[in-house]
């Protein structure tokens, strides 16, 4: 049984701000942003909800493309944008609170770009 | 050990645990398990502590913090690693940010297994560590005779 | 104008069970700005999807957080089921609901205890945790685990609860409820508790909505969002209304949680009454292919598991957006302008769960 309908619309980066503005005007709340690495590209999802209606817009970009920050419209977006930057190295332009890569402090730079694993052998080599 | 001569104080630090073991350590303090009946008191200050209880595994961020707390605890001291994460890294041992068990950076005296470790076994582990603490204390007192571990017991 | 100073708060602070770090910018005793920074318990567990098959990843999902572990497992399983179009048997849905509500009881009682401790009310802390053991005992009897249950799996649940046990669980709730009302009286009516909470850490309704507050933080400010209303698991068959308060201060958030405890008891009763007979799982065939944003209501607010699969045994991406992360911006707003001495209470009033947040 489907719990809810979820729509995803893929748009270009240049239309991002306009679309987000529409959501903002329509009284939607920001659910989350997230980045995934699919092949050699990043997929960034922007999820919104209003009265339990879930809508998602997506941009697909290269590693180098700069993304405009939406924290001007949704003040709380800075947590997600900083996280995206720290884990994937997405360049986000114009964040209201920019931690300069210190929001989530990780042992390697941009760890989710090429996840590495350890401890393949026995747990404890002494 | 039939009775305790001293009132050991513990300090608890949450390394990168999932909280499961943390809340079980806290549960030990509450009326159901009541670790205070052994005279064991939870403290926030490393300089007051005898027993260092660590939950969760080591990661890059907290390496220095744990080492620091360990160094601040006066001798003799014992370390109890609670949960499988603290023992070896557990389910997270492959994660890039996890370095492994606590024994990678500080010596561990007692390992408490379980995911999450049960309060009963945590208490058991802490009580065990008290025996080791006593041995260490005696060793410190008369370093040449080595351990006369029977003295501390009844 | 007085000089501004920065005080670091955390990572190891007595009122914080977990490490979080805040830089508080102060002018005299008033906080003017707050800069949160996290990462002390970041593990990077989302990357493990590449290492674990999608059926095994349930265990990792559950260990995102030890407090709401059951709901993490449920949300993950639900996401995979939605992608694969699996029809979970109704009895499994009901069992999931019952366990979710017990988890909520245990989480809220845990929080009430910690909150009392932050106010310096030790007796109340002990009493909340004593009551919580009742809930943990039931979880342990029915699933086998106290805090990490491991009873949810893709396609259903791992264990059934016998009808006799269900009946005795329903009967035991009575005594529990009575004890709970004594406890809640203290939280809601005691003068010393009120003096610490009323008008502390205000969050207006508009701010709460705009900043993306969820769960009791939003409901304490009058925003009645409760993801259980989307009707996942068996919630579509049960009657309940989101609990809201309008004041938006720490007292309101506390009151929401206290009232939700009774709401959970009611939901458990309804679920036990209505639970149908039948299977508890379906067989899982093949691999998932597709994507889904699986959402559920945790004790702390909305949880989102974003899952993307490509038809292989390993998911391509799992992203866990936990309620504490979305409650951080409202926290920053609440702290601006408060007194330094109130910081611990306000931080705790959002019920931060850092293990979840940093994953
Ligand atoms: S051992 Fe298990 S319960 Fe304990 S911190 Fe690790 S994952 Fe969590």
């Amino acid at each position: 049984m489907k719990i809810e309908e979820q729509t995803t619309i893929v748009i270009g980066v240049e239309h991002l701000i306009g679309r987000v503005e529409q959501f903002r005007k329509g009284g939607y709340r920001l659910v989350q942003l997230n980045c995934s690495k699919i092949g050699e590209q990043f997929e960034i999802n922007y999820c919104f909800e209003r009265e339990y209606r879930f809508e998602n817009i997506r941009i697909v970009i290269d590693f180098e493309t700069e993304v405009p920050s939406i924290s001007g419209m949704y003040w709380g977006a800075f947590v997600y944008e900083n996280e995206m930057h720290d884990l994937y190295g997405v360049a986000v332009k114009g964040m209201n609170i920019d931690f300069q890569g210190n929001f989530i402090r990780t042992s390697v730079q941009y760890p989710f770009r090429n996840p590495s694993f350890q401890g393949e052998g026995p747990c404890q080599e002494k | 050990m039939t009775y305790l001569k001293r009132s050991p104080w513990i300090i608890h630090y949450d390394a990168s645990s999932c909280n499961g073991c943390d809340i079980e350590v806290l549960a030990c303090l509450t009326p159901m398990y009541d670790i205070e009946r052994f005279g064991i008191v939870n403290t926030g200050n490393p300089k007051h502590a005898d027993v260092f209880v660590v939950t969760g595994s080591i990661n890059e961020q907290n390496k220095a913090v744990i080492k620091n707390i360990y160094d601040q605890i006066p001798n003799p001291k014992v370390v109890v690693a609670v949960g499988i994460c603290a023992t070896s890294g557990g389910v997270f041992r492959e994660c890039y940010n996890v370095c492994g068990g606590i024994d990678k950076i500080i010596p561990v005296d007692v390992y408490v297994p379980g995911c999450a470790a049960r309060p009963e076994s945590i208490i058991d582990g802490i009580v065990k560590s008290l025996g080791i603490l006593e041995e260490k204390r005696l060793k410190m007192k008369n370093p040449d005779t080595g351990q006369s571990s029977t003295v501390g017991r009844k | 104008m007085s000089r501004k100073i920065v005080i670091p708060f955390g990572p190891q602070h007595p009122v914080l069970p977990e490490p979080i770090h805040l830089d508080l910018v102060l002018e005299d005793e008033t906080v003017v700005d707050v800069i949160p920074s996290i990462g002390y318990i970041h593990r990077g567990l989302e990357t493990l999807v590449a290492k674990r098959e999608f059926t095994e990843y349930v265990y990792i999902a559950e260990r995102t957080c030890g407090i709401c572990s059951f709901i993490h497992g449920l949300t993950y399983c639900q996401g995979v089921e939605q992608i694969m179009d699996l029809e979970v048997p109704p009895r499994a849905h009901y069992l999931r609901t019952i366990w979710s509500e017990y988890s909520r009881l245990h989480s809220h009682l845990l929080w009430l205890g910690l909150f009392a401790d932050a106010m310096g009310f030790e007796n109340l802390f002990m009493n909340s945790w004593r009551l919580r053991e009742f809930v943990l005992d039931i979880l342990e009897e029915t699933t086998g685990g106290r805090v990490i249950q491991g009873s949810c799996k893709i396609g259903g649940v791992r264990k059934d609860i016998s009808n006799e046990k269900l009946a005795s669980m329903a009967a035991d709730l009575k005594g529990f409820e009575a004890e709970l009302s004594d406890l809640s009286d203290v939280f809601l009516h005691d003068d010393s508790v009120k003096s610490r909470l009323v008008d502390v850490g205000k969050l207006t309704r508009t701010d709460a909505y705009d900043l993306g507050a969820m769960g009791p933080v939003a409901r304490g400010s009058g925003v009645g969002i409760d993801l259980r209303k989307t009707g996942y698991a068996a919630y579509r068959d049960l009657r309940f209304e989101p609990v809201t308060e309008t004041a938006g201060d720490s007292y309101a958030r506390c009151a929401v949680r206290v009232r939700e405890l009774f709401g959970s008891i009611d939901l458990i009763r309804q679920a036990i009454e209505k639970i149908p007979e039948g299977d508890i799982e379906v067989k899982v065939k093949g691999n998932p292919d597709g994507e889904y944003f699986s959402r559920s209501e945790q004790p702390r607010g909305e949880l989102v598991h974003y899952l993307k699969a490509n038809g292989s045994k390993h998911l391509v991406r799992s992203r866990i957006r936990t309620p504490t992360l979305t409650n951080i911006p409202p926290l920053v707003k609440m702290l601006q302008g408060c007194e330094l001495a109130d910081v611990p209470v306000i931080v705790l009033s959002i019920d931060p769960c850092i293990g979840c947040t940093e994953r």
Side-chain angles (χ1 to χ4, degrees):
Chain A
M1 193 188 317
K2 275 273 169 246
I3 297 173
E4 57 181 355
E5 280 310 315
Q6 299 187 337
T7 53
T8 294
I9 303 165
V10 183
I11 58 169
V13 185
E14 63 284 4
H15 302 303
L16 179 69
I17 292 295
R19 284 308 283 260
V20 174
E21 187 75 55
Q22 280 171 15
F23 280 115
R24 167 89 206 176
K25 289 221 177 86
Y28 280 76
R29 77 179 168 87
L30 178 71
V31 176
Q32 64 132 17
L33 310 189
N34 82 312
C35 178
S36 334
K37 183 181 160 229
I38 306 294
E40 287 306 299
Q41 282 182 313
F42 288 144
E43 262 184 35
I44 304 182
N45 293 315
Y46 295 76
C47 312
F48 301 89
E49 188 212 70
R50 188 182 160 202
E51 281 155 15
Y52 305 118
R53 217 179 63 239
F54 184 90
E55 289 186 36
N56 178 30
I57 55 176
R58 169 177 302 162
I59 56 175
V60 181
I61 55 165
D62 303 333
F63 290 174
E64 281 75 42
T65 314
E66 255 192 2
V67 186
S69 165
I70 63 161
S71 55
M73 286 164 280
Y74 288 94
W75 191 81
F78 74 90
V79 288
Y80 308 113
E81 289 177 345
N82 278 291
E83 188 186 75
M84 253 165 24
H85 172 266
D86 293 358
L87 297 182
Y88 281 95
V90 179
V92 187
K93 200 170 50 186
M95 278 187 273
N96 53 1
I97 306 181
D98 193 342
F99 285 84
Q100 318 279 0
N102 284 321
F103 186 59
I104 297 185
R105 281 170 258 160
T106 55
S107 58
V108 281
Q109 208 187 18
Y110 310 146
F112 281 38
R113 231 185 230 199
N114 291 305
S116 57
F117 302 97
Q118 50 187 343
E120 317 267 38
C123 293
Q124 296 176 323
E125 40 327 305
K126 280 260 170 76
Chain B
M1 194 177 301
T2 49
Y3 70 96
L4 293 176
K5 285 211 202 124
R6 295 182 172 73
S7 159
W9 286 27
I10 60 173
I11 177 164
H12 166 221
Y13 184 75
D14 166 14
S16 61
S17 91
C18 79
N19 278 346
C21 287
D22 289 328
I23 55 178
E24 293 295 54
V25 169
L26 271 181
C28 292
L29 300 169
T30 54
M32 182 78 163
Y33 296 99
D34 196 12
I35 203 167
E36 285 189 15
R37 70 198 143 114
F38 299 112
I40 298 171
V41 178
N42 189 21
T43 167
N45 187 338
K47 302 216 164 162
H48 297 174
D50 307 291
V51 183
F52 188 17
V53 177
V54 193
T55 52
S57 48
I58 301 292
N59 70 14
E60 293 299 329
Q61 268 307 304
N62 58 35
K63 242 181 194 166
V65 184
I66 290 177
K67 188 90 184 68
N68 203 356
I69 298 178
Y70 179 77
D71 289 340
Q72 284 178 343
I73 302 176
N75 276 322
K77 53 192 161 193
V78 286
V79 177
V80 183
V82 171
I84 211 70
C85 280
T87 305
S88 68
V91 286
F92 304 121
R93 80 189 159 89
E94 285 165 314
C95 295
Y96 73 92
N97 215 32
V98 172
C99 310
I102 307 298
D103 52 9
K104 287 250 159 99
I105 47 167
I106 57 174
V108 176
D109 298 285
V110 181
Y111 296 93
V112 179
C115 178
R118 295 180 54 86
E120 287 92 338
S121 42
I122 296 174
I123 294 176
D124 205 31
I126 292 177
V127 170
K128 263 227 167 70
S129 76
L130 299 182
I132 300 174
L133 188 68
E134 187 64 24
E135 265 171 35
K136 284 192 176 173
R137 192 183 66 83
L138 287 172
K139 224 178 195 164
M140 258 175 74
K141 247 184 161 175
N142 29 348
D144 358 299
T145 50
Q147 75 271 50
S148 42
S149 54
T150 42
V151 180
R153 299 173 184 218
K154 252 269 151 81
Chain C
M1 208 182 103
S2 51
R3 212 156 45 89
K4 282 189 182 166
I5 46 169
V6 179
I7 296 190
F9 180 80
Q12 205 212 359
H13 188 277
V15 303
L16 297 171
E18 306 169 81
I20 182 179
H21 181 91
L22 301 169
D23 281 321
L24 306 170
V25 183
L26 296 188
E27 241 179 63
D28 294 335
E29 285 289 293
T30 313
V31 179
V32 288
D33 204 3
V34 185
I35 301 155
S37 86
I38 58 179
Y40 286 91
I41 43 183
H42 174 66
R43 291 155 280 175
L45 62 89
E46 289 164 352
T47 56
L48 280 181
V49 281
K51 281 272 155 189
R52 303 276 195 282
E53 289 178 17
F54 73 97
T55 44
E56 296 168 336
Y57 191 74
V58 188
Y59 306 114
I60 308 287
E62 280 203 316
R63 282 164 180 75
T64 314
C65 168
I67 303 177
C68 20
S69 78
F70 183 81
I71 304 183
H72 270 291
L74 180 150
T75 314
Y76 171 76
C77 291
Q78 174 179 298
V80 177
E81 286 152 7
Q82 292 286 318
I83 295 174
M84 299 179 78
D85 251 333
L86 277 179
E87 204 56 59
V88 178
R91 190 172 176 93
H93 274 321
Y94 272 84
L95 289 173
R96 284 178 178 184
T97 308
I98 292 171
W99 281 321
S100 298
E101 289 312 313
Y102 273 110
S103 303
R104 196 177 316 276
L105 285 176
H106 121 69
S107 171
H108 278 353
L109 281 170
L110 177 138
W111 174 83
L112 284 174
L114 291 178
F115 199 47
D117 199 37
M119 292 186 285
F121 206 147
E122 180 134 354
N123 173 305
L124 206 51
F125 165 57
M126 292 293 176
N127 265 317
S128 311
W129 281 57
R130 181 177 58 80
L131 268 183
R132 179 176 160 262
E133 288 294 332
F134 164 85
V135 181
L136 290 182
D137 282 348
I138 290 182
L139 282 173
E140 188 175 7
E141 279 167 48
T142 51
T143 67
R146 279 165 54 91
V147 292
I148 307 270
Q149 283 87 18
S151 53
C152 213
K153 67 188 261 188
I154 293 168
V157 292
R158 221 169 274 283
K159 283 205 174 83
D160 201 352
I161 309 180
S162 72
N163 286 340
E164 295 79 64
K165 178 71 201 164
L166 283 172
S168 83
M169 274 157 64
D172 288 345
L173 279 177
K174 212 176 190 148
F176 176 68
E177 195 174 13
E179 287 206 55
L180 204 57
S181 5
D182 291 346
L183 185 78
S184 66
D185 275 352
V186 184
F187 276 103
L188 296 182
H189 306 302
D190 187 89
D191 282 337
S192 54
V193 173
K194 271 191 172 168
S195 70
R196 290 295 310 268
L197 301 183
V198 173
D199 283 337
V200 171
K202 277 240 182 206
L203 185 70
T204 62
R205 188 178 191 285
T206 348
D207 273 351
Y209 189 80
D210 287 349
L211 299 179
M214 287 308 293
V217 180
R219 294 197 283 276
S221 296
V223 182
I225 323 177
D226 189 327
L227 265 285
R228 289 176 287 180
K229 278 279 169 210
T230 55
Y232 67 95
Y235 289 112
R236 66 172 68 82
D237 306 336
L238 307 177
R239 271 177 299 104
F240 73 99
E241 275 313 315
V243 175
T244 52
E245 293 275 334
T246 46
D249 53 4
S250 302
Y251 179 78
R253 291 189 279 279
C254 178
V256 166
R257 293 191 178 95
V258 169
R259 285 171 54 204
E260 277 183 6
L261 286 169
F262 295 98
S264 293
I265 293 180
D266 184 47
L267 281 169
I268 296 171
R269 284 213 180 99
Q270 289 183 41
I272 290 179
E273 213 166 88
K274 285 190 180 160
I275 189 168
E277 296 291 336
D279 286 340
I280 55 163
E281 56 173 308
V282 286
K283 263 226 140 23
V284 181
K285 285 198 211 83
N287 295 325
D289 189 2
E291 60 184 323
Y292 194 73
F293 294 88
S294 179
R295 306 192 296 155
S296 66
E297 182 77 15
Q298 266 194 342
R300 291 163 182 73
E302 177 198 40
L303 169 71
V304 183
H305 275 240
Y306 168 63
L307 305 171
K308 189 173 175 92
N310 62 356
S312 74
K313 274 199 203 130
H314 299 277
L315 298 182
V316 180
R317 171 83 164 120
S318 143
R319 189 264 200 273
I320 305 172
R321 202 302 311 272
T322 59
T324 308
L325 193 61
T326 171
N327 281 335
I328 284 180
L331 173 66
V332 171
K333 265 273 143 63
M334 278 176 222
L335 285 173
Q336 288 169 353
C338 80
E339 299 271 306
L340 178 62
D342 287 331
V343 170
V345 167
I346 298 177
V347 171
L348 262 184
S349 79
I350 71 156
D351 197 358
C353 174
I354 311 302
C356 286
T357 311
E358 305 183 356
R359 311 171 304 274

